[in-house]
């Protein structure tokens, strides 16, 4: 076989679910030493394709060839035996076990009487960590690792079977910019060793920083395979959505009224944060910027009654607010969209329509036909507003793609209402085509007089949407910027104070 023969070929794969053709005649291949990115809108078919390559699902028709030979990937163990491995997006580590135990879980080297040979296990874990140039103590309990370190353990777990094809499913979804760079360096290193890497991500900047080729899926079809060096984000987005994308930056105009929606004065919580003060007017979006450990998430949680404060004052409108629980915070006018939305607020076996209706029950107290029609009408409005891809209102939420589940959570959360919305990373896991719609939905909230406090993991996004930004560093407010003064340099300077 020539050096450039594909490690893996996917030919004319088709996979349908009731009411949806998830993959229609998809073909693509992976060469040794290449990163082949797979991109597409939410529901385009990426996860379905990955699960077929990883042996989690069988295709209805089509063929998979590994080193030129047709293979039947009946389950993930068969895929592993063919040296194909997947790095999970969701970290599935056991927190009580050590790094080495997690890496070799289920594949521990055995010594006498079939017992685990612990010395060999630690040696093997050290060898794998060394192979990707990571200095992590294999004896550390996994529970105390950072997200980035946990991700590394996940990668090592996939490397145990010495794969030739390694699949990454949105590996950077919960990482900050520095951690992303570290992960990309590890992936480049694996590529240099000749592995073929399949890389799925919604973050196009990262796809262009890493990929050799990019295959775009749209509505279950592979609509283009492009050499990254000869393409651009705009071209890829056009293939993904079939039109020019809407700009992310929202023209906010003269937003905000004079009326203060939320006033926070000298707020403090233990050693986490201190002397935090700001105001948000009705109709305004205030962003909080800061590096990891700046405690902006803790401020959000304190406002939502999920973390006790011991000093300072919070006022919603002209009322003092002392929420001691999220339930009380909701009653006092707060809405909270946490970054960790997995399963959050969705009853997965229930239908899409009923999931949205759950939050709106109080609006439909009168029984009757009209109620159903009105309920369905509002549900469709929510679904369209965020371009959620659903087959029908009666489709079970569990059958939606990951990104579409996220959009459904956001739709529910907007439907629930409130005066002050606390929002963390609303576009995480959401495709580029739908991001502007989410920003527009938030913009629309403020036009109705709501106030929004916002955190995003990408600073550019925060600058695109916020009216003002405060910067936090080590639990204190270190900067305050009006929209015309926004600059990455200025904000970054305050973030390291
Ligand atoms: N088990 C299932 N039953 C019914 N429909 C399904 C099932 N799994 C996936 N689908 C449908 O197949 C289509 C493709 O979904 P898939 O999860 O592959 O999309 P994706 O590109 O990974 O999206 P995302 O970016 O949101 O993760 C979607 O319309 C989805 O609703």
């Amino acid at each position: 076989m020539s050096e450039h023969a594909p490690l893996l070929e996917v030919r004319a794969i088709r996979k349908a679910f009731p009411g949806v053709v998830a993959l229609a005649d998809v073909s693509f291949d992976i060469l040794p030493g290449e990163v082949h990115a797979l991109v597409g809108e939410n529901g385009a078919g990426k996860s379905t394709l990955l699960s077929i390559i990883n042996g989690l699902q069988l295709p209805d028709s089509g063929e998979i060839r590994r080193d030129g030979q047709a293979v039947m990937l009946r389950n993930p163990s068969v895929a592993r035996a063919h040296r194909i491995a997947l790095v999970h997006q969701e970290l599935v580590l056991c927190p009580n076990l050590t790094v080495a135990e997690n890496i070799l879980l289920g594949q521990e080297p055995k010594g006498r009487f079939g017992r685990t040979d612990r010395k060999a296990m630690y040696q093997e874990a050290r060898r794998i960590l060394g192979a990707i140039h990571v200095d992590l103590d294999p004896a550390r309990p996994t529970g105390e690792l950072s997200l980035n370190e946990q991700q590394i353990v996940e990668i090592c777990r996939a490397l145990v079977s010495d794969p030739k094809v390694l699949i990454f499913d949105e590996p950077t979804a919960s990482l900050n910019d520095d951690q992303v760079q570290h992960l990309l360096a590890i992936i480049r290193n694996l590529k240099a060793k000749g592995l073929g890497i399949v890389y799925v991500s919604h973050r196009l900047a990262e796809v262009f920083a890493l990929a050799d080729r990019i295959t775009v899926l749209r509505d279950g079809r592979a609509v283009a395979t492009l050499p990254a060096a000869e393409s651009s984000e705009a071209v890829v987005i056009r293939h993904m959505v079939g039109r020019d994308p809407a700009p992310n930056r929202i023209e906010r105009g003269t937003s905000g009224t004079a009326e203060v929606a939320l006033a926070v004065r000298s707020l403090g919580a233990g050693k986490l944060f201190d002397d935090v003060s700001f105001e948000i007017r009705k109709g305004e979006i205030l962003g909080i910027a800061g590096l990891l450990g700046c405690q902006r998430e803790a401020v959000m949680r304190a406002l939502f009654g999920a973390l006790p404060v011991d000093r300072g004052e919070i006022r919603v409108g002209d009322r003092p607010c002392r929420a001691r629980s999220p339930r009380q915070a909701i009653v006092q006018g707060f809405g909270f969209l946490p970054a960790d939305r997995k399963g959050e607020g969705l009853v997965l076996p229930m239908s899409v329509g009923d999931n949205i209706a759950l939050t709106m029950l109080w609006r439909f107290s009168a029984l009757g036909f009209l109620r159903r029609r009105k309920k369905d009408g509002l549900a469709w409005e929510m679904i369209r507003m965020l371009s959620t891809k659903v087959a029908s209102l009666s489709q079970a939420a569990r059958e939606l793609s990951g990104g579409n589940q996220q959009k459904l959570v956001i739709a529910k959360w907007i439907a629930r209402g409130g005066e002050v919305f606390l929002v963390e990373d609303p576009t995480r896991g959401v495709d580029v085509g739908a991001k502007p719609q989410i920003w527009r939905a938030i913009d629309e909230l403020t036009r109705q007089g709501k106030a929004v406090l916002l955190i995003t993991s990408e600073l550019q996004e925060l600058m695109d949407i916020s009216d003002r930004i405060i910067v936090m560093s080590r639990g204190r407010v270190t900067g305050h910027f009006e929209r015309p003064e926004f600059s990455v340099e200025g904000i970054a300077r305050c973030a390291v104070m």
Side-chain angles (χ1 to χ4, degrees):
M1 249 178 82
S2 103
E3 200 187 316
H4 297 296
L7 290 169
L8 187 82
E9 292 159 87
V10 170
R11 291 191 183 166
I13 290 284
R14 182 188 155 86
K15 178 81 186 174
F17 298 106
V20 194
V21 178
L23 296 172
D25 197 25
V26 169
S27 298
F28 92 126
D29 58 45
I30 302 142
L31 301 173
E34 95 161 333
V35 176
H36 195 148
L38 210 50
V39 301
E41 288 188 287
N42 295 131
K46 304 175 297 292
S47 306
T48 308
L49 184 54
L50 293 194
S51 67
I52 288 173
I53 303 174
N54 189 41
L56 275 168
Q57 301 196 68
L58 280 172
D60 299 339
S61 58
E63 192 181 53
I64 296 179
R65 298 176 84 85
R66 175 74 185 90
D67 277 347
Q69 303 292 317
V71 289
M72 171 78 104
L73 303 175
R74 229 171 279 108
N75 56 50
S77 320
V78 174
R80 259 203 309 276
H82 285 291
R83 300 176 74 185
I84 301 168
L86 176 117
V87 178
H88 288 275
Q89 175 189 22
E90 304 300 337
L91 304 172
V92 282
L93 303 173
C94 306
N96 300 331
L97 300 184
T98 63
V99 167
E101 286 165 334
N102 263 298
I103 292 177
L104 287 140
L105 196 66
Q107 302 178 71
E108 298 89 348
K110 300 290 179 206
R112 284 173 60 192
F113 312 116
R115 286 211 197 104
T116 299
D117 181 342
R118 298 189 65 80
K119 196 166 156 218
M121 181 174 73
Y122 280 91
Q123 254 170 10
E124 179 61 5
R126 216 167 277 123
R127 184 191 68 74
I128 296 171
L129 285 160
I132 54 169
H133 307 289
V134 170
D135 185 19
L136 187 63
D137 179 1
R140 266 176 75 188
T142 315
E144 66 177 44
L145 301 183
S146 70
L147 263 182
N148 199 204
E149 290 169 326
Q150 290 181 38
Q151 184 98 57
I152 287 164
V153 176
E154 278 291 348
I155 297 174
C156 290
R157 209 140 105 153
L159 290 176
V160 172
S161 53
D162 196 14
K164 281 285 177 195
V165 176
L166 192 57
I167 307 164
F168 286 87
D169 184 7
E170 281 200 65
T172 56
S174 358
L175 303 183
N176 67 21
D177 290 347
D178 286 346
Q179 294 171 327
V180 170
Q181 291 315 319
H182 188 213
L183 181 72
L184 296 194
I186 291 175
I187 295 177
R188 285 195 191 99
N189 191 270
L190 290 166
K191 165 185 143 101
K193 290 185 198 301
L195 270 75
I197 312 266
V198 184
Y199 192 84
V200 170
S201 176
H202 285 295
R203 298 185 178 185
L204 289 186
E206 171 185 307
V207 163
F208 273 92
L210 192 64
D212 299 290
R213 287 189 296 163
I214 303 170
T215 286
V216 184
L217 287 183
R218 185 165 89 224
D219 289 334
R221 294 182 182 277
V223 290
T225 294
L226 312 158
E230 294 160 27
S231 190
S232 68
E233 287 194 25
V235 170
V236 167
I237 293 172
R238 218 171 298 131
H239 281 297
M240 278 171 69
V241 299
R243 57 184 149 74
D244 283 327
N248 249 353
R249 190 176 168 90
I250 303 275
E251 283 320 319
R252 299 271 306 150
T254 49
S255 43
T257 62
E259 244 180 291
V260 173
L262 173 71
V264 174
R265 302 251 173 281
S266 307
L267 203 65
K271 290 183 181 156
L272 282 176
F273 59 84
D274 194 23
D275 202 18
V276 171
S277 299
F278 57 83
E279 279 183 356
I280 317 180
R281 294 190 299 268
K282 288 190 171 179
E284 202 181 27
I285 301 177
L286 176 72
I288 313 183
L291 300 175
L292 207 69
C294 74
Q295 302 301 348
R296 54 186 182 155
E297 292 85 1
V299 171
M300 285 272 200
R301 275 166 184 70
L303 291 174
F304 198 56
L307 189 149
V309 291
D310 43 33
R311 36 197 197 275
E313 188 192 15
I314 303 170
R315 295 181 81 85
V316 175
D318 50 13
R319 310 176 305 273
C321 167
R322 283 186 207 89
R324 293 205 169 76
S325 68
R327 187 185 292 261
Q328 288 179 8
I330 291 170
V331 172
Q332 302 196 13
F334 283 102
F336 184 37
L337 179 73
D340 183 11
R341 289 189 282 278
K342 190 164 163 22
E344 158 83 19
L346 283 190
V347 187
L348 292 173
M350 258 170 60
S351 75
V352 169
D354 286 346
N355 260 290
I356 296 181
L358 263 186
T359 52
M360 300 194 281
L361 278 182
W362 54 273
R363 293 197 202 173
F364 297 98
S365 46
L367 291 169
F369 181 62
L370 194 68
R371 192 190 70 146
R372 165 115 232 140
R373 275 223 331 240
K374 196 165 172 202
K375 191 177 83 174
D376 286 359
L378 264 171
W380 275 118
E381 203 181 296
M382 290 290 162
I383 285 166
R384 275 195 214 105
M385 181 166 74
L386 300 173
S387 333
T388 314
K389 188 177 170 191
V390 303
S392 71
L393 285 184
S394 54
Q395 187 177 16
R398 104 153 69 72
E399 291 175 1
L400 297 187
S401 73
N404 282 311
Q405 285 183 2
Q406 299 230 31
K407 290 186 204 167
L408 192 58
V409 174
I410 294 175
K412 280 186 67 166
W413 157 84
I414 289 177
R416 191 182 291 146
E419 291 308 312
V420 180
F421 285 81
L422 310 170
V423 187
E424 279 181 4
D425 248 343
T427 61
R428 176 187 291 184
V430 167
D431 64 65
V432 279
K435 276 185 184 187
Q437 267 125 353
I438 289 186
W439 293 130
R440 220 138 275 141
I442 291 174
D443 180 54
E444 181 53 36
L445 277 179
T446 62
R447 285 174 202 277
Q448 295 164 9
K450 315 293 186 196
V452 173
L453 183 63
L454 177 69
I455 290 177
T456 62
S457 54
E458 288 174 55
L459 179 56
Q460 189 57 52
E461 278 196 340
L462 203 65
M463 300 201 307
D464 283 342
I465 180 90
S466 304
D467 298 310
R468 289 183 295 124
I469 290 179
I470 57 170
V471 189
M472 286 186 65
S473 170
R474 286 182 275 172
R476 284 174 179 270
V477 176
T478 51
H480 192 152
F481 296 79
E482 298 288 331
R483 192 164 167 101
E485 307 162 346
F486 288 175
S487 80
V488 174
E489 299 73 29
I491 292 173
R493 218 172 298 127
C494 296
V496 294
M497 270 181 184

